[in-house]
């Protein structure tokens, strides 16, 4: 039995969930997310007005491996469309700074040129200070990917962490 898969997902009042054959549409104030789940393997149903349950149709090792994963993906989507996700990056280094110009994040990271990072469509990037960048959005995976791409533009120095 999966400890994570057994837990029901609490749906906030402002979030609407529509279950169709293999497709779950989750709509909230921050955005909409569609998740496809194999309906031959899992049974997804609303228990009460605000609880979502996912259960395997048969008990095999292969299905139980994916049970907790699918439940976590559904829970992350519900949290994302209701509250959203954010990551805060702090730039440390002499002369390092960030600014936003239109739909680009301009980064000065110690190179001889300014690096322009194009902001993806569903992601919002704010420069709180010149050395603090706030990345937010409703998709947890996209927010993490954008943060990792920005970090990879200038990997941190291993000794001082700058």
């Amino acid at each position: 039995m999966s400890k994570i898969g057994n837990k029901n997902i609490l749906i906030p009042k402002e979030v609407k969930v529509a279950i169709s054959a293999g497709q779950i549409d989750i709509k909230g104030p921050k955005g909409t997310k569609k998740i496809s789940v194999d309906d031959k393997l899992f049974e997804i149903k609303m228990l009460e007005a605000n609880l979502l349950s996912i259960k395997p149709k048969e008990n095999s090792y292969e299905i139980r491996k994916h049970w907790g994963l699918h439940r976590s993906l559904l829970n992350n989507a519900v949290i994302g469309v209701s509250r959203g996700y954010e990551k805060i990056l702090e730039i440390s280094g002499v002369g390092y700074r960030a600014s936003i110009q239109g739909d680009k994040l301009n980064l000065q990271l110690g190179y001889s040129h300014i690096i322009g990072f194009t902001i993806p469509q569903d992601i919002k990037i704010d420069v709180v200070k010149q050395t603090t960048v706030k990345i937010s959005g409703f998709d947890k995976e996209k927010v993490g990917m954008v943060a990792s791409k920005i970090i990879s533009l200038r990997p941190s120095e291993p000794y001082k962490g700058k």
Side-chain angles (χ1 to χ4, degrees):
M1 295 297 283
S2 173
K3 292 180 182 179
I4 295 173
N6 274 331
K7 296 178 184 176
N8 294 327
I9 301 168
L10 181 66
I11 308 286
K13 292 177 184 173
E14 66 269 6
V15 176
K16 304 290 183 225
V17 177
I19 302 171
S20 60
Q23 188 78 14
I24 300 170
D25 297 329
I26 303 170
K27 295 179 185 175
K30 299 277 185 179
T32 61
K33 181 96 171 150
K34 293 184 180 191
I35 297 177
S36 60
V37 177
D38 192 2
D39 57 348
K40 295 176 185 167
L41 302 178
F42 297 104
E43 178 183 356
I44 300 168
K45 59 183 175 181
M46 296 293 288
L47 295 179
E48 296 172 7
N50 61 351
L51 287 178
L52 183 67
S53 170
I54 180 169
K55 301 286 180 197
K57 289 190 175 178
E58 60 183 64
N59 193 12
S60 70
Y61 178 71
E62 291 297 318
I63 294 174
R64 282 183 299 171
K65 284 195 308 187
H66 298 287
W67 184 15
L69 169 73
H70 283 24
R71 190 257 178 210
S72 293
L73 291 175
L74 289 172
N75 190 39
N76 289 342
V78 168
I79 292 171
V81 298
S82 63
R83 291 190 307 231
Y85 289 100
E86 71 176 21
K87 288 200 179 255
I88 297 174
L89 302 178
E90 190 171 322
I91 303 169
S92 66
V94 177
Y96 289 16
R97 63 181 68 98
S99 64
I100 290 194
Q101 197 171 36
D103 64 340
K104 285 197 176 234
L105 174 68
N106 291 330
L107 298 164
Q108 294 178 353
L109 299 174
Y111 296 118
S112 62
H113 60 283
I114 295 174
I115 298 172
F117 181 80
T118 305
I119 300 171
Q121 184 177 0
D122 295 335
I123 299 295
K124 184 180 181 207
I125 296 180
D126 294 327
V127 177
V128 180
K129 294 188 269 183
Q130 285 186 342
T131 58
T132 305
V133 178
K134 181 177 160 185
I135 305 163
S136 59
F138 67 88
D139 191 356
K140 186 175 185 177
E141 181 182 4
K142 252 188 188 175
V143 170
M145 284 299 293
V146 169
S148 68
K149 284 180 184 177
I150 291 173
I151 291 170
S152 71
L153 295 174
R154 180 73 179 217
S156 62
E157 189 258 327
Y159 300 107
K160 295 183 182 176
K162 292 186 176 183

